Amino acid sequence: MKPTEAIKIQKEFREKLTLEFPAVNVKKIAGVDVSFKDNFSFAIVVILSFSTLEVLEVKFFKRKIDYPYIPGLLSFREGPVFLNAWEKIKMEPDIVFFDGQGIAHPRGFGLAAHMGLFIEKPTIGVAKSKLYGVYEEPPQESGKYTYLYTKNNQKIGAVVRTVANQNPIFVSPGHLMDIENAVEMTLKCVRNHRIPEPTRLAHIYSQKVKKGELKEFEKGDQIRLI
DNA sequence: GCGACAG
DNA sequence: ATCTTGTCGC
């Protein structure tokens, strides 16, 4: 697909986003990440308990890379392989965290927003750096944050300090989500690292998968002696 | 034209 | 993202 065509699709589908979080009781959440090696991409989906952050299920999918990295078009590179892995998940998470932007995007349609429409689930974008928007540096204390705005002063996300004196992360809602809930839920997933658990674990697992060091599993699979 | 630019 | 080991710092 040509970039101009992909951009047209983003402008068309952003209209379908719902930036409101349905009042659901969040029990299980998911973290997604994609890694690359040679000519292959490896997508990982990790299911966690929202209250304990315990890992309940891990599934992955490998396929050839068929799209280049183009700023603003990340979902066309990582989306397909993610959807392949998503189909393997047996549990049904209430929220899905992605390693990238939600609506904090040039056309308001980043990876988390795009995938949210596909899977019809509330999604949140958690990026390590900014793609689009203007903001003021948040205070150095953990848990503090400032907002991300478009050039027209429209609020599109938050710049969150998850760990004191460490670089902030960029949080923005995808689909079926709002900024306040996105920030609140993201902070609840932070343990002792800058990156919240869903995305952090997905990243660790995806690194192991491409090295052939990870086996998929789901709760109950654990083999134990005794 | 110049700078910015998720992963 | 990836190419890559040890090393400085909280």
Side-chain angles (χ1 to χ4, degrees):
Chain A
M1 178 182 296
K2 297 300 181 188
T4 51
E5 186 182 349
I7 289 173
K8 182 181 178 184
I9 289 177
Q10 295 182 321
K11 291 178 177 176
E12 176 187 340
F13 284 82
R14 66 180 172 194
E15 313 291 333
K16 300 191 173 186
L17 292 174
T18 296
L19 298 180
E20 291 175 9
F21 178 61
V24 301
N25 193 1
V26 182
K27 296 288 190 181
K28 294 190 292 291
I29 58 178
V32 177
D33 190 35
V34 178
S35 63
F36 304 84
K37 181 180 177 62
D38 296 327
N39 207 35
F40 289 92
S41 55
F42 305 74
I44 273 281
V45 178
V46 180
I47 305 296
L48 316 165
S49 156
F50 186 47
S51 61
T52 67
L53 298 182
E54 166 194 14
V55 177
L56 304 175
E57 182 179 359
V58 176
K59 288 294 189 306
F60 64 78
F61 197 90
K62 168 187 177 179
R63 62 181 268 171
K64 283 192 175 181
I65 294 175
D66 53 20
Y67 205 83
Y69 168 66
I70 300 174
L73 300 182
L74 183 64
S75 62
F76 292 87
R77 177 179 172 80
E78 302 192 348
V81 68
F82 152 66
L83 291 171
N84 285 322
W86 175 255
E87 294 174 359
K88 299 174 71 175
I89 286 292
K90 293 182 180 177
M91 294 181 181
E92 188 172 343
D94 304 300
I95 302 289
V96 184
F97 291 81
F98 287 84
D99 186 18
Q101 315 291 343
I103 61 170
H105 175 279
R107 292 166 292 282
F109 204 63
L111 177 66
H114 197 157
M115 294 304 103
L117 284 184
F118 264 87
I119 65 179
E120 298 181 285
K121 288 286 179 185
T123 58
I124 297 174
V126 176
K128 296 179 289 299
S129 61
K130 187 197 73 171
L131 168 65
Y132 181 78
V134 294
Y135 67 96
E136 293 188 339
E137 192 71 13
Q140 292 301 317
E141 298 86 71
S142 66
K144 299 284 188 181
Y145 62 90
T146 53
Y147 292 104
L148 236 192
Y149 299 87
T150 64
K151 298 165 186 173
N152 298 316
N153 266 327
Q154 293 305 302
K155 196 178 289 184
I156 55 177
V159 184
V160 187
R161 189 81 65 184
T162 52
V163 176
N165 300 54
Q166 292 232 352
N167 293 327
I169 58 174
F170 298 76
V171 180
S172 60
H175 182 44
L176 298 171
M177 181 58 57
D178 60 68
I179 296 176
E180 298 306 332
N181 272 300
V183 171
E184 182 184 316
M185 303 176 100
T186 294
L187 284 173
K188 280 190 176 179
C189 292
V190 172
R191 268 195 160 159
N192 281 147
H193 306 272
R194 181 169 85 111
I195 307 302
E197 295 305 292
T199 295
R200 191 179 78 83
L201 293 176
H203 182 260
I204 291 175
Y205 287 137
S206 69
Q207 292 298 307
K208 288 178 178 277
V209 165
K210 72 177 184 182
K211 293 180 181 177
E213 303 175 346
L214 176 72
K215 297 177 183 175
E216 299 183 327
F217 80 87
E218 44 199 273
K219 194 166 188 180
D221 274 1
Q222 293 88 337
I223 298 174
R224 44 189 101 187
L225 308 177
I226 292 180

